[in-house]
Amino acid sequence: MPRRSTFPHLLPLLLLLLLSLLRFTVAVRPFVLVISNEDLIKDYSSDSLPSESEWDDFSPPSASFADPWLSVLDPSSSDLSTSDEFSSSLSDLIAAFSSGDPAAASAAAAQIAAEASDGAPAAQSVIGFLYGAGVLRTPDKARHFMYHSFAADGGDLHSKMALAYSYFRQEMYEKAVVLYAELAEAALTGFLMSKEPPMMEAVRLHSGTEENREALRKSRGEDDEDFQITEYQAQRGNAAAMYKLGLLYYYGLRGLRRDHAKARYWFFKAVEKGDTRAMELLGEIYARGAGVERNYTKAFEWLSLAAKQQYYSAYNGLGYLYVKGYGVEEKNLSKAKEYFQIAAEHKEPGGHYNLGVLYLKGLGVKRDVVTACNLFLVAANAGQPKALYQVAKLFQKGIGLKKNLQMATLLFKTVAERGPWSSLSRWALEAYLKGDTGKALFLYSRMAELGYEVAQSNAAWILDRYGEQSMCMGEAGGFCSDTERHLRAHSLWWQASEQGNEHAALLIGDAYYYGRGIERDYERAAEAYLHAQSQSNAQAMFNLGYMHEHGQGLPLDLHLAKRYYDQALDVDPAAKLPVALALFSLWVRKNYAESFLVSFIDALPDTYPRIQEWVEGILMDEGNATILTLLACLITVLYLRERQRRQAGAAANVQPPEVGLN
């Protein structure tokens, strides 16, 4: 199929045809923490400093979080019994969405509602979700909040995530920061030596306006051709392939489920074949007790071997062992600092972070909160999640950094979204790849409520892309009407746009501009495009230029139109062709205001859907460049004939001078 245009508005002449060849790739931009000296607080009272027991980063991790959804999605990895009443009811509910059976879904939801009435927090959380999303229930914000509040009080972390995100959207940072801080701490319980966080591969189902086929292909787990090639090479004795397989299983990458036993097996094989990179991860496996009995002595041995091979991140693990006195003769803070310093000097984020902890607590060094802050910021900007957590804590408490609850909330949220509950995205993606759009939509919608931008985008994409095939359950207990589906997708796109997804804002603008699922409203379309334009989006700038050119939702202003067109080109050189054609349109409009071409250009919006269908269904499929050339010639001939007709008419109106005889 041909690519669809990502410029929704209309251009003169061949622009509609040529834009179907263009596409902008959209991604949410990462933030960078920039702190000035004015943000640092250098004077403290002793009461304001954290106690040594607070933020004890070097303590063993607490018990892992048990996700009640996991008993349904992956029984082999859950501590909960699948015979649990809630698990059974949830299983029935998910199965009903998979099969597209509204009656079965309503029955399962009724059973969960009964369990919620009996005080089961997990059941209360699901009912809160159904009321919030308008699934099998009439949307009810009050009941949504009530059920999640009860569930959160009962310890359900899913509901705490939902409430925290709700407060975050309403800018109620005093409440949001408390919940996100707790969730971030829970997310960090699986961390030990600060080398790597649990991996969360947030796969976006769409890229721009197309399906993200390459990312999806790489997420098919053991069914992926690349994985099968790697596995074959490993079995044939390729050390690099053995190491790669170990990584895939250890972190659960590319759609694979985590398997520490297989990871350890392949790491050992890689070391035997001379690939020393696996030494450090074997040390981490024994230190974490990942799939084996925890053994700090073996961890020290493997990390020491890795350090001798100049894998500098291994020094973080060695430093940790010396701080705690695990696997070594005794605690040695001086040795720990030395190792952390080596890691930091070689640009290992964990080294900066661990040094920051020493300075924050005054362990083996003189306590220096300013130095700790600077070290944490370096690590945080490298994406080190524990550093993000510590910086958030400093912003929250006003220690070392000026108190800033908004920034603290954002950073805690970033860490919290790495928690175990993010595993829902894996099951949603797995369902999507298997063609189970109903289950995928249900799980992505659940994650969307928890505040995951990618899940919001993916759920909206499924609703828009698959329509009735999305198995969207409406509030009346049947399938969604077209209006319900459009409104639900619109709400999800809007939430994603609030979190920086510029493509989502563009789709909202398009919905208002064309009246897709909602009443046409040029002013709201302009607002959405302005939101995307504020994120330096070239397509939004182009659209705003078009609206100024035609006075749609914005004042008719050809100068502003040109400015927006120029900005689009400055932001993205790929816009050179459409901008050139748009500027030509402005020139025609200015110099030939009453011409045939201007009337032709202005008539395009009403015929755009038919033209686009014709272009995609006939011309692009055939790739017939000759037809495009002939069409260009035809339009040129029409223009020249119109010009000739006007000139002839003007000449006919000129009266010849009278000729007389003397």
Side-chain angles (χ1 to χ4, degrees):
M1 291 296 293
R3 295 177 177 177
R4 295 180 63 85
S5 168
T6 57
F7 284 94
H9 295 149
L10 298 250
L11 299 173
L13 304 178
L14 295 178
L15 184 56
L16 284 174
L17 308 177
L18 297 173
L19 281 184
S20 59
L21 304 175
L22 303 177
R23 179 172 60 88
F24 282 94
T25 300
V26 177
V28 178
R29 292 177 172 84
F31 62 86
V32 177
L33 290 169
V34 180
I35 305 297
S36 67
N37 289 331
E38 296 179 355
D39 296 309
L40 297 172
I41 302 175
K42 300 180 181 179
D43 298 323
Y44 307 92
S45 65
S46 58
D47 295 336
S48 67
L49 294 173
S51 64
E52 186 171 336
S53 61
E54 189 176 3
W55 306 344
D56 188 6
D57 182 70
F58 294 112
S59 62
S62 60
S64 61
F65 166 66
D67 188 343
W69 288 63
L70 205 57
S71 63
V72 174
L73 299 171
D74 185 18
S76 63
S77 300
S78 176
D79 295 331
L80 297 179
S81 170
T82 54
S83 63
D84 176 80
E85 290 185 5
F86 170 74
S87 297
S88 179
S89 300
L90 181 61
S91 180
D92 292 341
L93 183 64
I94 294 176
F97 275 87
S98 294
S99 61
D101 188 342
S106 296
Q111 182 60 40
I112 293 175
E115 295 163 13
S117 299
D118 292 337
Q124 293 169 338
S125 183
V126 172
I127 298 302
F129 159 64
L130 297 180
Y131 274 115
V135 177
L136 307 174
R137 298 284 189 282
T138 301
D140 191 323
K141 291 183 178 180
R143 293 188 179 185
H144 167 259
F145 180 80
M146 179 188 71
Y147 276 105
H148 277 311
S149 296
F150 285 146
D153 289 342
D156 187 272
L157 296 186
H158 284 262
S159 282
K160 290 184 179 182
M161 280 286 286
L163 288 175
Y165 177 59
S166 178
Y167 290 137
F168 176 73
R169 289 193 71 197
Q170 299 175 69
E171 299 183 357
M172 300 172 65
Y173 300 120
E174 296 84 356
K175 293 185 176 181
V177 73
V178 174
L179 287 170
Y180 273 131
E182 179 185 346
L183 292 160
E185 185 175 359
L188 294 178
T189 57
F191 291 50
L192 192 62
M193 297 183 301
S194 307
K195 181 187 181 296
E196 291 284 356
M199 298 298 293
M200 183 189 73
E201 290 189 294
V203 178
R204 199 176 294 279
L205 300 183
H206 62 94
S207 177
T209 57
E210 295 179 328
E211 191 172 58
N212 198 356
R213 297 183 182 277
E214 183 64 18
L216 294 175
R217 183 188 67 78
K218 293 180 178 180
S219 302
R220 300 188 65 86
E222 295 181 349
D223 294 330
D224 178 42
E225 182 179 349
D226 287 348
F227 172 84
Q228 293 171 359
I229 292 173
T230 301
E231 185 179 42
Y232 174 77
Q233 292 173 337
Q235 291 171 346
R236 299 281 293 179
N238 185 300
M242 293 173 177
Y243 174 70
K244 183 177 180 180
L245 271 188
L247 287 179
L248 293 176
Y249 280 117
Y250 185 62
Y251 291 120
L253 302 174
R254 298 287 185 89
L256 289 174
R257 301 185 184 184
R258 282 190 180 185
D259 191 324
H260 291 138
K262 287 185 179 180
R264 185 164 57 93
Y265 170 81
W266 286 114
F267 285 149
F268 270 122
K269 287 289 187 181
V271 171
E272 290 174 358
K273 286 290 185 177
D275 193 324
T276 56
R277 293 175 296 176
M279 291 176 175
E280 180 186 358
L281 289 168
L282 285 170
E284 183 175 326
I285 283 174
Y286 280 109
R288 292 182 185 273
V292 295
E293 184 177 351
R294 182 171 287 158
N295 188 322
Y296 290 116
T297 301
K298 286 188 176 182
F300 180 80
E301 292 173 356
W302 282 112
L303 290 169
S304 297
L305 289 172
K308 289 178 181 178
Q309 298 294 327
Q310 297 185 335
Y311 297 117
Y312 295 105
S313 57
Y315 283 98
N316 285 319
L318 291 172
Y320 166 83
L321 296 178
Y322 274 110
V323 167
K324 300 301 294 184
Y326 294 157
V328 296
E329 294 181 359
E330 59 182 359
K331 292 183 181 181
N332 189 330
L333 295 177
S334 297
K335 197 74 172 176
K337 181 193 173 187
E338 176 187 342
Y339 284 147
F340 292 150
Q341 189 72 48
I342 292 173
E345 288 173 355
H346 290 86
K347 299 182 180 181
E348 287 292 336
H352 292 99
Y353 167 73
N354 288 325
L355 279 176
V357 174
L358 295 184
Y359 279 105
L360 180 66
K361 292 184 174 185
L363 298 175
V365 296
K366 182 179 179 180
R367 174 177 270 179
D368 187 337
V369 180
V370 173
T371 298
C373 287
N374 287 323
L375 289 165
F376 287 149
L377 288 168
V378 172
N381 279 326
Q384 217 289 338
K386 279 192 170 184
L388 291 170
Y389 174 80
Q390 294 288 20
V391 173
K393 199 83 169 178
L394 297 175
F395 274 125
Q396 180 189 20
K397 301 294 184 182
I399 297 174
L401 296 169
K402 288 184 179 179
K403 192 171 185 177
N404 187 332
L405 294 184
Q406 180 179 3
M407 182 61 75
T409 302
L410 177 61
L411 294 175
F412 279 138
K413 180 179 185 290
T414 302
V415 178
E417 289 181 350
R418 307 245 185 161
W421 37 87
S422 67
S423 63
L424 284 176
S425 64
R426 166 165 307 185
W427 311 113
L429 179 61
E430 186 175 281
Y432 181 80
L433 291 172
K434 291 179 179 178
D436 190 346
T437 55
K439 181 178 179 180
L441 176 62
F442 181 77
L443 295 178
Y444 278 132
S445 298
R446 173 62 163 175
M447 289 194 73
E449 183 195 35
L450 306 186
Y452 288 86
E453 181 275 320
V454 172
Q456 293 163 352
S457 300
N458 287 348
W461 165 258
I462 291 174
L463 288 168
D464 281 344
R465 171 71 180 273
Y466 290 94
E468 295 180 357
Q469 297 176 344
S470 66
M471 303 297 183
C472 172
M473 301 286 183
E475 60 184 69
F479 289 112
C480 292
S481 64
D482 288 342
T483 300
E484 279 184 297
R485 191 167 54 252
H486 279 301
L487 290 176
R488 192 175 297 178
H490 179 84
S491 175
L492 290 164
W493 284 127
W494 188 258
Q495 292 177 54
S497 73
E498 290 176 343
Q499 300 199 77
N501 187 329
E502 59 198 44
H503 173 68
L506 287 169
L507 286 178
I508 293 169
D510 290 351
Y512 279 119
Y513 186 88
Y514 293 110
R516 294 173 180 165
I518 51 179
E519 185 177 353
R520 176 175 287 185
D521 189 325
Y522 289 137
E523 291 184 0
R524 289 195 175 185
E527 290 176 2
Y529 291 141
L530 283 168
H531 180 64
Q533 178 265 341
S534 69
Q535 299 167 328
S536 299
N537 182 274
Q539 186 177 332
M541 295 172 183
F542 186 94
N543 293 351
L544 290 168
Y546 182 90
M547 297 181 80
H548 272 300
E549 180 182 352
H550 294 83
Q552 296 175 333
L554 294 171
L556 178 64
D557 191 324
L558 300 186
H559 294 289
L560 275 178
K562 183 180 185 304
R563 182 180 301 176
Y564 276 120
Y565 290 144
D566 289 339
Q567 287 179 359
L569 182 58
D570 290 340
V571 169
D572 194 334
K576 183 177 181 179
L577 176 60
V579 167
L581 293 173
L583 293 176
F584 175 72
S585 172
L586 286 178
W587 179 83
V588 171
R589 191 175 299 279
K590 181 179 179 181
N591 292 280
Y592 299 93
E594 303 299 327
S595 71
F596 161 77
L597 276 180
V598 172
S599 301
F600 174 74
I601 293 169
D602 290 340
L604 282 176
D606 294 331
T607 59
Y608 171 67
R610 284 174 290 170
I611 293 177
Q612 184 181 45
E613 182 180 355
W614 178 63
V615 170
E616 293 182 351
I618 301 176
L619 298 185
M620 293 298 105
D621 281 346
E622 297 178 2
N624 197 333
T626 303
I627 296 180
L628 293 179
T629 304
L630 291 174
L631 181 62
C633 293
L634 174 62
I635 294 176
T636 303
V637 169
L638 289 174
Y639 167 69
L640 293 176
R641 288 186 62 184
E642 173 69 11
R643 182 179 178 183
Q644 183 180 20
R645 185 186 65 79
R646 288 176 177 271
Q647 290 175 345
N653 291 330
V654 176
Q655 297 295 327
E658 294 184 2
V659 179
L661 297 176
N662 291 326

